[in-house]
Amino acid sequence: MADDLSLFDRRMRGPAGIALAAGVILGLLTGYTVGAGTPDGPSWPLVVPFALLASVFLYLGAYRNLSKRVEET
């Protein structure tokens, strides 16, 4: 393979930002959904891990798609 793509490659900066933003939004949505009926508001112990998990999942999906596209060229 002439062009290897690492997880921290320069071409992964855009997908990383998108994955992080989408993960935070999904985490906040989860926290507000779970805490909607309570006076305490969002469940922060649920928001942070879910946001991190969603961000990692989305980032790895973007990495997989981009690395397949790089292999084809």
Side-chain angles (χ1 to χ4, degrees), residues 1 3 9 11 15 22 28 31 37 41 47-48 53 55 57 59 64:
M1 258 189 243
D3 191 15
D9 194 85
R11 293 170 282 188
L28 288 172
V47 169
V48 174
L53 183 66
S55 295
F57 179 76
Y59 179 75
R64 183 176 151 254

Side-chain angles (χ1 to χ4, degrees), residues 10-73:
R10 180 184 55 81
R11 293 170 282 188
M12 290 301 296
R13 288 182 188 161
I18 293 169
L20 184 63
V24 168
I25 290 170
L26 286 172
L28 288 172
L29 238 137
T30 301
Y32 279 107
T33 301
V34 170
T38 64
D40 298 336
S43 173
W44 292 110
L46 181 67
V47 169
V48 174
F50 188 78
L52 290 174
L53 183 66
S55 295
V56 168
F57 179 76
L58 291 169
Y59 179 75
L60 290 177
Y63 171 74
R64 183 176 151 254
N65 290 338
L66 189 59
S67 64
K68 281 186 177 182
R69 199 176 306 161
V70 167
E71 284 179 3
E72 291 173 1
T73 58

